[in-house]
Amino acid sequence: PSPIEALKKAIPLAPFVASYTSGLKSSGHGFFIGRCPFHNSQSQRTFWVDTKHNVCGCFVPDCIAFCNKHLSPTSK
């Protein structure tokens, strides 16, 4: 495996992200939600972590961590 893949397997994502994300809480089935560390979302939990697939991102399209481009109706 590549060094990045080895690192992703060695470090659990949720505890690592929790140190940077305020209010990260489980919403069930290995999915966590918290405040995004990349923009000022003090009142909304927009940052997500999927421990099953070892990925994370933000729901806000203008955020640098926006990872939901596949959900956009204009994307192919």
Side-chain angles (χ1 to χ4, degrees):
S2 73
I4 292 174
E5 289 300 318
L7 186 60
K8 285 171 76 175
K9 288 182 181 181
I11 300 173
L13 189 58
F16 176 77
V17 171
S19 63
Y20 297 97
T21 306
S22 175
L24 191 67
K25 294 187 180 184
S26 174
S27 62
H29 304 287
F31 198 78
F32 292 79
I33 277 196
R35 292 180 186 92
C36 183
F38 299 105
H39 67 274
N40 189 10
S41 61
Q42 296 300 321
S43 62
Q44 296 181 347
R45 296 177 190 267
T46 59
F47 197 78
W48 55 269
V49 177
D50 180 350
T51 59
K52 184 176 180 181
H53 296 102
N54 209 27
V55 293
C56 61
C58 183
F59 292 121
V60 177
D62 293 337
C63 182
I64 62 170
F66 179 64
C67 295
N68 296 312
K69 293 177 184 170
H70 64 282
L71 298 178
S72 170
T74 59
S75 66
K76 297 189 179 199

